[in-house]
Amino acid sequence: MRLLCFPKSFSFHFQKVDKKQTIMAQSSGSNTGKKLIRIDITSDSVCPWCFVGKRNLDKAIAQSKDQFDFEIKWHPYFLDPSAPKEGVNKKEYYEKKFGSRAQGIFARMTEIFRNIGLEYDISGLTGSTLDSHRLIYFAGKQGLDKQHALAEEIYLGYFTQGKFVGDREFLLESARKVNEELEKYSANISGVPNYVINGKHQLSGGQPPEAFLRAFQVAAK
């Protein structure tokens, strides 16, 4: 039997829930009578094994969907908390990080990605994944199915298209592919925290309580 091994940055937490409970799975809007499997994924957007693990998980879910409903939730992990926000050359960064092992790692990942039908791309920039995690978190608030789909788009861009996970346009395009609603809330946001009240009244930054009270009064009119 071949065992799949995942790094510490990719973890699963499974919980089987009795069908009598009323929590709905991401794949179903009604109680199907099947048992619900909750999966909490902790990962980083620049972790190749996380992407491979996701693809393998998706296959397992597809094979089990007649037996179970699934609820999948993504959680952030930072492989390099000090990674630069502006981004650095991806290939050079990994060569510096892994030294003489880098070329072997590139070759190995190329082989692994081809086994799942993808071409591993080492071009482009790498850096802080904070903004990608923020967007993934927000997608989860819109729906766990959308969160799962967004993680896929970000992985595809970074690992197969040379996209930078810190690039705002790339992140917005990934969100746009998943759901136009994500773009609606994030396209005009230049920083966080950002608040939208009643869908049209917007506040940014660390506002005092009085500012929120005024906004509530205006929104209520």
Side-chain angles (χ1 to χ4, degrees):
M1 177 183 294
R2 184 181 179 185
L3 298 178
L4 288 176
C5 298
F6 301 99
K8 291 181 179 179
S9 57
F10 189 89
S11 63
F12 295 102
H13 176 261
F14 295 92
Q15 181 179 358
K16 187 161 65 176
V17 181
D18 190 90
K19 63 183 179 181
K20 292 181 181 179
Q21 291 184 269
T22 58
I23 300 173
M24 297 297 101
Q26 72 158 55
S27 58
S28 176
S30 61
N31 192 344
T32 62
K34 294 182 286 187
K35 286 191 174 181
L36 172 64
I37 304 295
R38 289 176 178 166
I39 305 175
D40 288 279
I41 302 175
T42 301
S43 72
D44 199 0
S45 306
V46 295
C47 168
W49 284 108
C50 296
F51 188 20
V52 174
K54 180 196 175 296
R55 281 299 183 95
N56 290 336
L57 174 64
D58 287 345
K59 287 183 179 179
I61 289 174
Q63 294 170 8
S64 308
K65 62 184 180 181
D66 291 337
Q67 296 176 271
F68 306 108
D69 283 329
F70 294 90
E71 182 181 272
I72 304 170
K73 189 173 183 179
W74 289 76
H75 305 278
Y77 184 92
F78 296 93
L79 284 170
D80 184 359
S82 63
K85 184 175 178 61
E86 64 275 11
V88 294
N89 183 279
K90 187 190 300 184
K91 187 171 183 293
E92 293 177 359
Y93 173 84
Y94 289 123
E95 287 174 340
K96 182 179 179 180
K97 180 177 181 178
F98 296 112
S100 60
R101 298 186 294 132
Q103 295 306 316
I105 291 173
F106 296 157
R108 175 63 175 150
M109 294 315 303
T110 297
E111 177 187 359
I112 290 170
F113 270 63
R114 282 178 179 166
N115 287 339
I116 59 173
L118 299 171
E119 288 297 322
Y120 183 66
D121 188 347
I122 197 64
S123 68
L125 303 178
T126 191
S128 173
T129 57
L130 179 61
D131 285 345
S132 68
H133 286 308
R134 284 172 171 162
L135 195 59
I136 289 170
Y137 171 81
F138 182 79
K141 295 297 184 182
Q142 302 299 303
L144 296 183
D145 54 339
K146 296 171 186 175
Q147 186 182 57
H148 194 66
L150 179 60
E152 172 78 12
E153 290 295 334
I154 292 174
Y155 279 139
L156 276 174
Y158 181 75
F159 288 112
T160 70
Q161 301 166 14
K163 302 291 187 179
F164 173 39
V165 292
D167 180 68
R168 185 169 178 268
E169 290 305 315
F170 162 58
L171 293 175
L172 287 176
E173 178 60 27
S174 297
R176 197 173 295 125
K177 289 179 181 178
V178 173
N179 189 323
E180 291 182 358
E181 196 70 13
L182 296 178
E183 180 190 1
K184 171 184 172 183
Y185 283 95
S186 58
N188 296 317
I189 296 175
S190 58
V192 290
N194 182 272
Y195 310 90
V196 178
I197 302 169
N198 276 2
K200 56 184 179 181
H201 302 285
Q202 183 168 292
L203 294 174
S204 297
Q207 299 288 343
E210 293 79 9
F212 290 106
L213 291 172
R214 288 194 296 270
F216 297 158
Q217 293 296 324
V218 172
K221 291 180 179 179

